[in-house]
Amino acid sequence: MSREPDPHLPSDRSPSSAPRTRPDSVIIVQHVQPDAVERFRDWQRGIAAAVAQFPGYVGTDQHPPEPGTADPWVIVLHFANQAAARDWIDSPVRAHWLDKLDSSMRHHELTVIPGGFAGWFSFSPMARFVAR
């Protein structure tokens, strides 16, 4: 029995069955020792310049930890679609930059968010707060 797709659920296909492109975000959680912050910042500038040249790259959000904490850095890379994100993740250019990290900074966690963050923040014109 064939079932119609639920229009309220995300789909990778448009009604015409052509592949639909959605943005993807890649989240990197990077643990950096306090004495390595300047080296990490230099490295981050280099890899940011490299990814900016990649087809489908949209932008980067960088969230350093609060001063005086041991919290990790969080870097969010935005790509136009899943293929562009995957091409960057699997690229020799990225591998080259990862090889440049010194051993104290090599531990990181990488998560891909299909569809990016757009669906996380949906603002309805009906949901407004009025300050009095």
Side-chain angles (χ1 to χ4, degrees):
M1 168 155 77
S2 176
R3 199 165 140 190
E4 290 295 314
D6 185 334
H8 303 291
L9 296 176
S11 169
D12 288 337
R13 302 254 175 218
S14 68
S16 69
S17 295
R20 184 171 69 170
T21 61
R22 299 182 312 169
D24 267 17
S25 295
V26 176
I27 302 170
I28 301 139
V29 177
Q30 186 80 39
H31 302 276
V32 180
Q33 298 298 320
D35 63 338
V37 168
E38 287 310 312
R39 289 191 315 274
F40 178 72
R41 284 182 193 269
D42 288 343
W43 177 85
Q44 185 61 39
R45 280 188 283 276
I47 196 169
V51 72
Q53 302 303 311
F54 238 73
Y57 169 77
V58 174
T60 298
D61 297 322
Q62 196 175 93
H63 305 281
E66 289 294 318
T69 69
D71 293 339
W73 288 68
V74 177
I75 295 96
V76 183
L77 303 173
H78 302 282
F79 292 91
N81 54 54
Q82 184 178 20
R86 179 58 47 204
D87 287 349
W88 169 250
I89 290 168
D90 295 338
S91 75
V93 174
R94 179 175 173 269
H96 168 77
W97 279 96
L98 290 176
D99 286 344
K100 287 182 150 193
L101 275 174
D102 71 42
S103 61
S104 69
M105 293 185 277
R106 289 216 173 144
H107 175 72
H108 67 278
E109 300 149 27
L110 184 138
T111 304
V112 176
I113 306 293
F117 284 104
W120 291 30
F121 304 100
S122 177
F123 298 102
S124 166
M126 302 299 291
R128 295 182 186 223
F129 294 96
V130 178
R132 295 184 187 237

